[in-house]
Amino acid sequence: MPIRLSPASSMAVALALLASATPVLAQSGAAGLPYDARRGVFSFSSGLEGSLPAVVQVTTLGQSRGPSSNAADPKPYASGSGVIVDAAEGLVITNNHVVEGGRKFTVDLTDGRLFDAVLVGADKATDIAVLRITPDGRPLNLKQVQTVDSDTLRTGDLAFAVGYPLGLDQTLTMGVISGLNRSGLGDAVEDYIQTDAAVNSGNSGGPLLDSRGRLIGINTSILSGGLGGGNDGIAFAVPTRIMLYVADQLKKNGEVKRGATGAIFGSLNAERARDLHLGIVRGAVVADVAPGSPAERAGLRHNDVITRIQGRPVANAGSVNATIGIAAPGSDLSVSYLRGGREATTSLAVETPADQPVIVGAQSVLAYGATLRDQDGGAQVTAVSAGSPAARAELTAGDVITAIAGAPVADSRAAAIALQGASGSVEATVLRNGEALNLTLSL
């Protein structure tokens, strides 16, 4: 389900601006205004109507948890939205969290037809999943949405969210693009579009459209300050730049095959910038570089500050991880960085990850997908890679590992040695907010 939003003022402001245009311009179309002369109203319907039949409701069915449930009869337990991107093949894109754990899936079309669907693949790191509608002998006759490159978006563009929120039928809301390249919301491949178009529970997996009805992103999460978890005007969508790569990988392989660089990145903040004597607070700091890795061969070092990657500005570590996360193994990325106040550039190779669950670097340890640094009384988790064994075990940044398999560990290297000697699953004792927890790490 999403995390939360609210846009009431956006619609009013947009309509007020349109209404202030002179009648001559509106009637002549010289300003390109969406004016329906026949009805005498401003409307975006002509651009959007062709895309709305491609927006579907997705229902996920699984084993009922009731005391008298029949295990062979899956029951609905999750619902969200989706969008048809390939009518010929019946491919629907939605969110991973909408379909996660499901045994069966159904797709409800706007014309009232209901189809079963099968899961082609899902990617937890980007929260993207692909379903294929099964025709069951009936002609599909589907509509698909047109997709546009999300890199062409600008803050202030109009945006429309479509989906099935809060048990309602298909619903359209309008807002603007509030920001681009948002990240830092969790341990994932993040480069979100932020919008104030109203998004609520049930909108997950539905499309974010531009004013011409073209797909620019998949609505994924919202932020809410209220106890009820409602719309507060801040929603996030996975941009088509990431969505298209992930969907193509899922279609071809059933999973996303990601490369690695051997570098561990942290986000630059005001405190870190002062320590490094920098006059900027946006960027990604190289926390460590694994020996013999592509990052080491590229010349990157501890405390280098990445400012651009593939020509895109870097806001924080999420910007770098998002670019690496959709780079195929074997590709090279152009990187600009600061070292000692001077800018330099390098080419960073992305390689197929080595099958090493534990890598000991000069400054930190990468174990089971978690970055560990020395902390009094243990090894502190400073970052967790999305989809990794550490993420599946629910390790989070800030946790301090104090014991592995019941044996105390004094620092990150002691933790590395204990994990290198483990086989199968191993229990880690962690301190989180003063409370001791036992988590199971499995490769």
Side-chain angles (χ1 to χ4, degrees):
M1 75 183 248
I3 319 174
R4 324 269 133 136
L5 274 188
S6 183
S9 61
S10 298
M11 177 73 80
V13 171
L15 293 179
L17 289 173
L18 292 174
S20 68
T22 65
V24 174
L25 287 176
Q27 290 171 9
S28 68
L33 299 173
Y35 184 71
D36 186 333
R38 182 180 63 83
R39 295 184 297 136
V41 297
F42 293 107
S43 175
F44 292 94
S45 60
S46 61
L48 296 167
E49 282 177 343
S51 298
L52 299 184
V55 184
V56 302
Q57 184 170 31
V58 175
T59 302
T60 299
L61 299 92
Q63 183 175 340
S64 172
R65 296 174 177 81
S68 60
S69 64
N70 181 354
D73 182 23
K75 304 294 183 183
Y77 74 87
S79 179
S81 305
V83 60
I84 299 170
V85 294
D86 189 325
E89 293 197 35
L91 294 182
V92 175
I93 292 184
T94 184
N95 280 150
N96 170 72
H97 74 258
V98 170
V99 302
E100 191 170 23
R103 293 172 52 197
K104 184 178 178 182
F105 312 94
T106 61
V107 172
D108 186 355
L109 306 183
T110 57
D111 61 12
R113 291 182 296 161
L114 182 68
F115 287 98
D116 288 337
V118 295
L119 182 64
V120 175
D123 181 47
K124 189 169 186 176
T126 55
D127 202 13
I128 292 293
V130 177
L131 297 170
R132 178 179 281 111
I133 296 173
T134 55
D136 296 332
R138 291 179 289 167
L140 290 177
N141 295 327
L142 302 174
K143 299 290 186 180
Q144 72 181 51
V145 71
Q146 181 184 354
T147 301
V148 70
D149 182 2
S150 56
D151 279 350
T152 63
L153 299 178
R154 297 174 64 185
T155 299
D157 288 354
L158 288 176
F160 297 81
V162 192
Y164 295 78
L166 304 174
L168 295 175
D169 206 345
Q170 189 181 96
T171 300
L172 170 76
T173 58
M174 184 180 103
V176 297
I177 302 297
S178 307
L180 298 167
N181 311 125
R182 297 294 198 237
S183 60
L185 305 177
D187 296 313
V189 176
E190 301 174 345
D191 191 15
Y192 294 128
I193 301 166
Q194 182 183 330
T195 179
D196 69 345
V199 172
N200 287 284
S201 179
N203 274 112
S204 289
L208 187 68
L209 306 174
D210 67 10
S211 59
R212 293 170 56 185
R214 300 176 302 178
L215 179 64
I216 57 177
I218 298 295
N219 297 313
T220 295
S221 60
I222 62 179
L223 290 178
S224 176
L227 295 177
N231 171 9
D232 279 349
I234 302 176
F236 302 97
V238 178
T240 54
R241 181 177 69 89
I242 291 177
M243 179 211 78
L244 289 172
Y245 173 82
V246 171
D248 184 61
Q249 287 275 300
L250 294 176
K251 181 181 172 183
K252 290 179 179 177
N253 309 314
E255 62 178 348
V256 178
K257 296 182 181 298
R258 290 192 168 86
T261 64
I264 299 167
F265 301 98
S267 295
L268 184 65
N269 53 31
E271 181 181 359
R272 206 97 174 257
R274 285 193 295 269
D275 292 341
L276 297 174
H277 307 291
L278 296 174
I280 59 172
V281 291
R282 291 180 180 271
V285 182
V286 177
D288 202 1
V289 174
S293 67
E296 184 183 62
R297 294 196 300 272
L300 292 178
R301 301 178 192 168
H302 175 61
N303 278 345
D304 285 348
V305 177
I306 311 299
T307 57
R308 300 184 75 85
I309 184 166
Q310 289 296 82
R312 298 169 61 86
V314 170
N316 50 37
S319 303
V320 177
N321 291 332
T323 301
I324 294 172
I326 61 169
S331 58
D332 291 300
L333 305 176
S334 61
V335 173
S336 299
Y337 62 96
L338 293 174
R339 179 184 297 164
R342 294 186 177 183
E343 188 172 33
T345 60
T346 188
S347 179
L348 180 61
V350 180
E351 297 183 348
T352 301
D355 189 17
Q356 294 179 264
V358 182
I359 300 174
V360 179
Q363 302 291 329
S364 60
V365 168
L366 184 62
Y368 288 58
T371 303
L372 310 178
R373 298 180 76 86
D374 292 346
Q375 168 84 6
D376 289 343
Q380 185 177 46
V381 178
T382 59
V384 177
S385 299
S388 66
R392 293 195 298 270
E394 299 184 352
L395 269 176
T396 62
D399 288 348
V400 177
I401 299 176
T402 58
I404 301 291
V409 293
D411 53 29
S412 61
R413 293 179 185 276
I417 293 170
L419 289 170
Q420 284 173 331
S423 60
S425 299
V426 61
E427 189 173 86
T429 303
V430 305
L431 279 178
R432 181 182 298 168
N433 299 323
E435 181 181 357
L437 303 171
N438 290 322
L439 305 177
T440 301
L441 291 164
S442 301
L443 291 176

